[in-house]
Amino acid sequence: MRGTAVTLGSLALVLSSLVWAPDSQARPREQGAVTCTGNSVSRYDPPLTLTPQPTRVHAEVRYDSCTAHAGHTFAATSTFESLRTAASCVSDSDALGVETVRYADGGRSVIAIESATTVRDMGVLFTLQSGRVTEGRGAGHQVRRTVAAPPRQLPTDCLTSGIGGSNSGVQLEILP
């Protein structure tokens, strides 16, 4: 009986501290930096060729490891949607878009990617993106996103059927 009373008393104390705590203490995971790493599977519509053309990009991202302040780790998934005005096998300009991240605990962040730089090094296409969280967890915080896409298809595919997609490594940072 004493154990039940102690448990209920502890539970009441925890609940009351959450109710009365300032917002920054009640939901610490919504404050500060978050860094996620994972993999992305992207599809290009139409496939990339040598001729720059408007291209819709849809990516499914699985973040196997996200770390928030105090070492709190969790998983997340996301979708990334983009309409590129002049994408081709040779260049991938204006890699802007919207990423919607869904965290394992039910929270989410909507991120607007507002600028991007693309560099090809030894066959790997690196895209460095920046933007901000527009809704949800981390709203108002700046974001850095790095995508590294190694070549999966032969360069000659650009001359024939085009490149229909890519698998990439992704790192997402929601800055404090």
Side-chain angles (χ1 to χ4, degrees):
M1 190 67 158
R2 183 171 186 266
T4 303
V6 169
T7 301
L8 289 175
S10 298
L11 182 60
L13 184 60
V14 168
L15 289 175
S16 68
S17 67
L18 287 176
V19 170
W20 295 107
D23 192 43
S24 63
Q25 292 176 6
R27 292 179 279 162
R29 288 176 288 164
E30 293 189 19
Q31 307 300 318
V34 174
T35 300
C36 297
T37 57
N39 294 295
S40 167
V41 177
S42 300
R43 298 289 167 247
Y44 308 126
D45 182 25
L48 300 179
T49 63
L50 289 175
T51 305
Q53 62 186 333
T55 304
R56 207 171 275 290
V57 178
H58 172 82
E60 296 288 332
V61 184
R62 179 177 191 83
Y63 292 116
D64 296 318
S65 175
C66 293
T67 304
H69 78 292
H72 176 71
T73 60
F74 48 93
T77 60
S78 79
T79 55
F80 181 80
E81 301 289 338
S82 178
L83 178 59
R84 311 225 172 127
T85 57
S88 73
C89 289
V90 179
S91 86
D92 190 14
S93 65
D94 64 355
L96 313 179
V98 175
E99 181 173 17
T100 302
V101 182
R102 291 168 299 285
Y103 302 102
D105 67 0
R108 76 180 190 122
S109 297
V110 177
I111 299 167
I113 299 298
E114 300 164 332
S115 68
T117 302
T118 302
V119 178
R120 187 174 298 277
D121 185 24
M122 299 197 51
V124 178
L125 184 67
F126 292 96
T127 305
L128 310 170
Q129 301 167 312
S130 62
R132 62 186 170 79
V133 180
T134 59
E135 294 178 37
R137 185 171 295 160
H141 289 254
Q142 294 298 307
V143 170
R144 274 192 308 239
R145 189 172 190 267
T146 305
V147 181
R152 284 190 53 223
Q153 293 176 282
L154 297 173
T156 55
D157 288 345
C158 286
L159 300 172
T160 57
S161 61
I163 295 179
S166 66
N167 289 353
S168 308
V170 181
Q171 179 171 306
L172 173 70
E173 298 172 89
I174 299 175
L175 304 173

